[in-house]
Amino acid sequence: MKQVLVIAERRGAVLDEGVFELLTAARALAGGGGRVAAAVLGHGIGGLAAELARGFDRVFAFDDERLAEPDGDGDAQALLPLLARGGFDAVLLAHGNLGIDLAPGLSVRAGMPLLADCLELHWAGQSLAGTRAVYGGKVHARVVAAAGGTGAMATVRGGAFAPAGPGTVAGEVVAAALPAEFAPRRRPLRTLRPEAGEVDITQSERLVAVGRGIEDEDGLQLVRGLAAALGADLCASRPVVDKGWLPRSCQVGTSGVTVRPKLYVAVGISGSFQHMGGIKGSPFVVAINKDRAAPIFGVADVGIVGDLSEVVPALEAAIEEQKG
Amino acid sequence: MDFELSKVQKDIQKAARKFAKGEFDKELARELEHKHEFPREICRKAGELGFLGLHYPREYGGQGYGCLENVLVIEEFCRQDSSIGSAAMLCGFAAETVLRFGTAEQKQRCLPPVAEGKAIFGGAITEPDHGSDITSLATTAVVDGDHWRINGTKTFISNAGIAGNYMVLCQTDPAAAHRGQSMLLVPADAPGLTVSDLGRKMGINLTPTGELTFKDVRVPLANLIGERGKGFYQVLQFFDESRIAVAAQALGIAQGAFDRALAHTRQREQFGQKIAAMQVSQHKIADMAIELELCRLITYKAAWTFDQGKPDSVLTAMAKCHAGRTAVEVCDEAMQKLGGYGYMADHDVERCYRDAKITELYEGTREIQKHTIGRALTGRLQ
Amino acid sequence: MDIIVCIKRVPDLAEAGLEIAADGRGLRTEDLDFDINEWDDYAVEAAVRLKEQHGGVVTAITVGDEDAEEVLRRALAMGADQAILLDDAAFAGADPFAIATALHACIRSLPFDVVLCGAVTSDGASGQVGGMLAALLDVPQVALATGLEVDGGRARVRHEVEGGLEREVEVALPCLITAQSGLNQPRYVSIRGIRKVADVAIAARSAGDLGLAATAVGEAGSRVRLEGLLLPPAGKRAEILEGSLDAAVATLVERLRERGGL
């Protein structure tokens, strides 16, 4: 029986769906008789708090105009008294951009151990323990919070837990006040939205994704042909966007856009969690990669190991032939 | 004995590796090879960063390092890309003759632009009728007032047409055979000097190879490099240095082919298992690794010996001979490991294979190296 | 301007086959190449650019043994002015908090306007050290920076935030920034740079030098204990279509048709 707090992340006026994955993790950690609480920060977030209260036993709503934009530095100040009051055995955040911005500083101020980017969480005696991916995901590490009475924090990798369904808990919403000494040190100047691409890939049912494996822009042309044959839109992993071959709006991943297609064809994509974290729903995943050991084959439904410059045109031709 | 590279040498090796990885694009290499074009932009960047003349003194635009540091850079460059690496290694070819024998004025004029990657140098030794045997030359230079007047033809000249200056080995005293030869510094724009490209080669196609024809080409008397009548001996001394660089080129090409073969062997599966798990693959990989290690040891030792101020013609010849053979054999084995993939032009190993062979031919064929070694040894026995 | 950049030497994993060491708590390192952590390279470049724009001193710091010195020499060759190696057997086995503790103890005695860290490392991949160090130093921090300008005692930072967006924020100096890829394109190390720093002495500091008890750092000072490493479970694997290219492609088209993908 444990007390678990989830710090909800919001994207603009909506909750990040990751919070319902965290709810699953939190319930499992709380165990029967344990309670799960959520904290949500922002301005005008009554609706979000109510939504959370359907799944969480308690919701701490920090509603203040000074919290209008997520701010890892300022949010830590806001949350500190809640954590410092004690009583939480575990505090969970999503290991996304905000979690990376917020959790380390908050954990130090709250005097809590922090298990980062966990794939799995459990109790080892009274200590929070988990498994995390290290060395580019090629190795997993089992970690455990050092014994101590203050509870522990963890950031959780997107997709590691299945999202909890719509709740019927009718939890209590508590208006949480900002500490008197609250003084945000960051001044937000502006939020940059990615330049609108030709297509909004968040709406695409079929996506062909290109990764580092395409090597050059000629490779990109080949993949465009395949996408056209499939009637799919083109998206990419971070390295391709960093090279400037496709606009930022095409970047799928935890630091990019979240998509929910029905078909996902990954060409030359290694399958890092940062990329896979941007794919929701459960699409049929096809992987084409020259490296049989690439992690993408661990998540794909079907795959071909081979040279992209051979496989991609052959597949395009076969699809065209099929279409007649 | 100490087989460890110094911290600085390791830093140089790593810096060269990072630069080559970042800049030596294989698509570019293929395109340049197709167009038979020199990688000017890469050499300019390499020069700016100090990779090209690092064995020249600082007063002449260099970094004041030695032959071994130069070897480390050449090895890393050729390992990453056999064609771009070879072109970068060759772009200052024979400038060392100015460095070792030239006047301060000649060094000041010729070396900094080469070190900075802004100018290319060429060396003209071989003639249509005088290749390995240069004991007498048909290209002559005679004193004509305050100038040398040069006539003749030089062939198989690397960087022909793109070099700004050439070191030209001339017969200045026809009666004295190899004791009557001298090195002259000839600017590419000297009237009477014409260049014709010899066209495509098996490998190193990013560097042009051509023929220089001298028709009453006049250069000032002050363009004599080193001593009159000592040209032949200066060339031999130059080879003691340049052949180590060729050994490094061969070593790098071989290592690059090996890297690619090893990566393929680790990935490729046939008959339900990784080919790396097959003993025949492991033995081949082991054979290649042994050869590479031997090749590296002798090349580094030759460079180290040179840097100790004790250039050793026999050791240098051994290094070049062994490294050249290793490059050809390792590239052959690497291609064998890659099978059909290796044979395709889209795979680098095919280019490594073609680029490797020159290291057994230029700056003294394998046979000439053995001649040098054999004569020295049997001479000592007598 | 006084700029501090914290860096780490990590194994290059791109092409290496990984093996877990016999003690189950680290990797076998014999066959691995090591280099500066990619994100730390962005941090060094950002530090050197700030110095080039505003003048000042760049100090590079790493925690590690003698081998780790090479990343400090690299930072020096890129333009850092001085380097400190935090080297003590007591630092071994540190979690991110214990690393931040050691860095904090070193940095608190130095003047600084900006501290730069890589946003994450390619080995431990927790992305915690920067944020923890900022909290210990009690300075504002911005994580995942993709743009950085400093002017008039303030830093204007563009950084990656929720939902794949970027936000521009301003913080007062002194501050701590963690560098994300895209912040800059790190320069190559030049031979000139290597030559210039060949004889620069790198200061080594032990836990005692930093006024830290051995129990406050390393494994003893860690808040998270590493129990062991393991290879990831095989899990679900894709159906890999074997055979000739034509056969594999034909089967794939069939699978796509079955799933309504065509």
Side-chain angles (χ1 to χ4, degrees):
Chain A
M1 199 173 84
K2 302 280 187 188
Q3 308 297 318
V4 182
L5 174 70
V6 167
I7 298 172
E9 189 176 320
R10 67 186 200 289
R11 301 190 168 187
V14 297
L15 287 170
D16 179 70
E17 295 165 359
V19 72
F20 298 106
E21 297 176 8
L22 295 176
L23 175 55
T24 303
R27 285 272 175 220
L29 286 175
R35 280 159 62 88
V36 296
V40 59
L41 300 84
H43 184 46
I45 50 164
L48 303 187
E51 189 183 346
L52 287 169
R54 288 198 285 277
F56 289 86
D57 303 317
R58 279 186 107 182
V59 178
F60 297 95
F62 292 81
D63 200 335
D64 193 290
E65 62 183 358
R66 288 171 291 172
L67 299 171
E69 309 252 28
D71 164 0
D73 203 71
D75 291 2
Q77 287 185 40
L79 288 161
L80 186 58
L82 180 62
L83 268 61
R85 215 162 55 210
F88 293 115
D89 300 292
V91 178
L92 307 183
L93 299 86
H95 191 78
N97 289 347
L98 182 63
I100 291 170
D101 198 17
L102 169 60
L106 182 58
S107 77
V108 166
R109 288 161 202 269
M112 291 173 129
L114 170 58
L115 281 58
D117 192 18
C118 293
L119 305 168
E120 167 274 329
L121 288 165
H122 63 275
W123 297 105
Q126 293 302 306
S127 295
L128 185 64
T131 305
R132 49 192 312 273
V134 293
Y135 299 111
K138 293 180 176 181
V139 178
H140 284 180
R142 288 184 295 117
V143 289
V144 57
T150 52
M153 290 176 68
T155 61
V156 178
R157 179 173 293 188
F161 293 87
T168 52
V169 173
E172 171 196 8
V173 175
V174 181
L178 290 178
E181 65 277 16
F182 181 74
R185 298 181 289 186
R186 267 187 213 166
R187 194 160 71 89
L189 300 174
R190 62 189 178 124
T191 300
L192 296 88
R193 316 216 165 247
E195 282 173 35
E198 290 163 15
V199 286
D200 178 4
I201 57 169
T202 63
Q203 302 301 318
S204 301
E205 292 214 332
R206 296 174 184 191
L207 284 170
V208 174
V210 287
R212 199 192 290 266
I214 61 167
E215 290 183 356
D216 55 42
E217 291 188 86
D218 293 345
L220 189 60
Q221 284 312 317
L222 286 181
V223 180
R224 277 187 204 281
L226 174 62
L230 277 167
D233 295 318
L234 202 61
C235 62
S237 62
R238 181 174 191 114
V240 173
V241 173
D242 276 347
K243 284 199 163 82
W245 294 343
L246 284 172
R248 249 322 123 205
S249 60
C250 286
Q251 183 188 325
V252 170
T254 51
S255 61
V257 177
T258 300
V259 296
R260 39 180 76 253
K262 294 198 170 114
L263 171 68
Y264 198 79
V265 181
V267 181
I269 284 196
S270 68
S272 73
F273 81 88
Q274 289 93 340
H275 179 71
M276 300 316 291
I279 305 165
K280 300 290 175 185
S282 41
F284 185 67
V285 176
V286 177
I288 302 170
N289 202 297
K290 70 173 179 186
D291 178 5
R292 188 175 286 264
I296 189 72
F297 290 116
V299 290
D301 295 283
V302 57
I304 294 182
V305 178
D307 199 311
L308 305 182
S309 60
E310 294 165 16
V311 178
V312 172
L315 181 57
E316 182 190 338
I319 291 166
E320 291 292 359
E321 190 179 328
Q322 185 71 214
K323 291 199 297 197
Chain B
M1 285 190 96
D2 183 1
F3 284 101
E4 187 88 12
L5 294 176
S6 72
K7 283 178 181 178
V8 165
Q9 286 163 345
K10 285 182 192 167
D11 289 347
I12 289 172
Q13 188 178 45
K14 204 156 237 179
R17 185 176 304 163
K18 279 230 165 183
F19 174 74
K21 276 201 168 149
E23 295 292 316
F24 294 10
D25 180 69
K26 64 182 178 184
E27 294 298 328
L28 175 70
R30 283 175 205 155
E31 184 190 326
L32 290 174
E33 174 168 61
H34 186 69
K35 292 179 3 198
H36 198 39
E37 199 177 300
F38 183 79
R40 253 177 218 285
E41 185 55 23
I42 288 175
C43 286
R44 193 191 55 73
K45 282 187 191 165
E48 230 165 54
L49 291 165
F51 288 116
L52 294 184
L54 80 171
H55 57 305
Y56 304 170
R58 290 179 56 192
E59 54 190 309
Y60 301 121
Q63 303 299 326
Y65 289 112
C67 183
L68 181 51
E69 287 80 7
N70 194 32
V71 159
L72 295 173
V73 170
I74 293 168
E75 180 187 351
E76 290 301 330
F77 278 15
C78 292
R79 176 183 184 177
Q80 182 65 31
D81 191 287
S82 56
S83 309
I84 297 176
S86 294
M89 170 253 180
L90 281 170
C91 71
F93 177 66
E96 287 85 358
T97 57
V98 174
L99 174 63
R100 306 297 173 200
F101 312 112
T103 63
E105 186 279 325
Q106 288 168 347
K107 291 185 213 181
Q108 202 51 259
R109 176 150 49 103
C110 295
L111 298 179
V114 171
E116 288 158 19
K118 292 176 183 157
I120 294 165
F121 205 87
I125 302 167
T126 302
E127 298 183 349
D129 295 327
H130 302 277
S132 295
D133 174 11
I134 54 163
T135 48
S136 99
L137 296 168
T139 300
T140 58
V142 296
V143 174
D144 178 6
D146 53 0
H147 279 70
W148 293 98
R149 197 173 72 240
I150 309 168
N151 280 286
T153 300
K154 294 284 181 181
T155 196
F156 297 139
I157 306 309
S158 296
N159 300 332
I162 59 171
N165 285 289
Y166 299 94
M167 178 282 292
V168 183
L169 185 65
C170 301
Q171 201 71 41
T172 44
D173 182 356
H178 65 282
R179 290 190 177 83
Q181 297 176 2
S182 308
M183 289 179 170
L184 296 180
L185 181 62
V186 180
D189 57 3
L193 169 57
T194 52
V195 179
S196 58
D197 196 286
L198 290 172
R200 296 194 69 80
K201 307 180 282 289
M202 177 180 182
I204 60 164
N205 275 304
L206 275 51
T207 296
T209 302
E211 200 157 86
L212 306 185
T213 306
F214 300 84
K215 191 161 189 323
D216 291 329
V217 173
R218 286 162 57 84
V219 297
L221 289 180
N223 279 24
L224 175 70
I225 303 172
E227 283 185 54
R228 182 170 180 175
K230 290 282 171 64
F232 177 81
Y233 298 99
Q234 290 173 187
V235 163
L236 292 188
Q237 275 189 60
F238 160 65
F239 279 150
D240 284 343
E241 183 171 9
S242 71
R243 284 172 180 168
I244 302 171
V246 177
Q249 177 194 13
L251 170 61
I253 293 174
Q255 182 69 49
F258 174 79
D259 293 342
R260 289 163 175 97
L262 182 61
H264 179 82
T265 305
R266 280 182 174 157
Q267 271 184 20
R268 177 89 166 159
E269 289 181 24
Q270 290 287 282
F271 307 107
Q273 63 170 328
K274 291 246 194 279
I275 60 173
M278 300 175 186
Q279 198 176 47
V280 64
S281 297
Q282 291 173 2
H283 281 195
K284 284 294 180 198
I285 292 290
D287 285 342
M288 287 194 262
I290 292 167
E291 284 307 313
L292 275 167
E293 187 61 25
L294 291 172
C295 184
R296 181 167 291 114
L297 279 173
I298 197 168
T299 303
Y300 287 11
K301 185 180 176 190
W304 177 84
T305 307
F306 185 91
D307 289 337
Q308 299 304 305
K310 301 177 284 194
D312 182 335
S313 306
V314 171
L315 184 62
T316 297
M318 286 177 171
K320 182 185 180 287
C321 186
H322 186 67
R325 191 86 287 256
T326 298
V328 170
E329 287 177 356
V330 166
C331 287
D332 185 36
E333 276 305 333
M335 186 177 288
Q336 199 69 32
K337 288 252 63 75
L338 278 139
Y341 291 109
Y343 195 66
M344 304 307 290
D346 255 7
H347 280 261
D348 300 329
V349 170
E350 176 266 348
R351 206 151 40 81
C352 294
Y353 182 96
R354 291 186 291 108
D355 287 338
K357 185 61 193 176
I358 191 65
T359 62
E360 282 203 300
L361 299 172
Y362 68 4
E363 298 186 49
T365 60
R366 181 169 78 215
E367 291 70 25
I368 285 294
Q369 310 305 325
K370 289 187 178 172
H371 176 70
T372 303
I373 300 161
R375 198 181 45 188
L377 293 178
T378 54
R380 274 182 224 155
L381 287 174
Q382 279 159 7
Chain C
M1 185 182 299
D2 291 299
I3 306 148
I4 288 170
V5 58
C6 305
I7 61 179
K8 184 179 184 186
R9 179 175 179 262
V10 296
D12 177 2
L13 304 174
E15 283 143 45
L18 292 191
E19 263 185 76
I20 295 173
D23 69 358
R25 291 165 56 90
L27 294 184
R28 279 193 49 179
T29 54
E30 289 87 348
D31 298 331
L32 295 177
D33 278 341
F34 283 79
D35 209 335
I36 189 170
N37 174 47
E38 180 188 334
W39 287 265
D40 299 346
D41 215 12
Y42 306 129
V44 173
E45 177 66 32
V48 173
R49 286 188 193 183
L50 284 180
K51 181 185 92 165
E52 286 167 351
Q53 281 166 16
H54 304 281
V57 175
V58 174
T59 305
I61 306 176
T62 193
V63 182
D65 58 11
E66 196 194 347
D67 291 337
E69 221 190 86
E70 67 166 321
V71 295
L72 294 176
R73 288 200 310 276
R74 176 183 166 82
L76 291 167
M78 284 172 76
D81 302 279
Q82 52 192 33
I84 304 172
L85 176 68
L86 305 185
D87 183 6
D88 194 318
F91 295 140
D95 77 341
F97 178 74
I99 293 290
T101 302
L103 290 170
H104 167 241
C106 178
I107 294 170
R108 68 184 166 190
S109 65
L110 302 171
F112 69 91
D113 298 293
V114 178
V115 179
L116 282 149
C117 299
V120 68
T121 58
S122 60
D123 55 354
S126 68
Q128 295 177 36
V129 172
M132 289 180 162
L133 177 58
L136 292 171
L137 291 166
D138 195 24
V139 297
Q141 64 94 24
V142 184
L144 301 165
T146 55
L148 171 63
E149 283 171 49
V150 172
D151 194 17
R154 306 191 74 79
R156 180 187 279 246
V157 189
R158 191 172 74 235
H159 74 133
E160 292 185 350
V161 295
E162 71 286 347
L165 303 176
E166 290 186 311
R167 185 169 296 129
E168 225 169 61
V169 299
E170 200 176 68
V171 289
L173 305 186
C175 66
L176 184 145
I177 310 292
T178 76
Q180 170 67 305
S181 68
L183 177 59
N184 51 45
Q185 179 68 44
R187 67 197 63 193
Y188 292 113
V189 167
S190 70
I191 302 296
R192 201 168 286 109
I194 291 171
R195 178 168 54 68
K196 271 192 202 153
V197 303
D199 299 321
V200 173
I202 291 177
R205 301 258 190 284
S206 67
D209 296 338
L210 301 176
L212 290 169
T215 50
V217 294
E219 192 162 5
S222 293
R223 290 179 170 178
V224 175
R225 201 171 67 244
L226 173 67
E227 301 246 276
L229 299 179
L230 60 155
L231 295 175
K236 166 194 137 172
R237 291 291 297 175
E239 176 198 2
I240 305 269
L241 305 176
E242 306 285 0
S244 72
L245 178 59
D246 286 346
V249 163
T251 316
L252 179 52
V253 170
E254 195 52 38
R255 293 282 181 282
L256 286 170
R257 253 161 44 96
E258 287 162 16
R259 296 285 306 206
L262 289 178

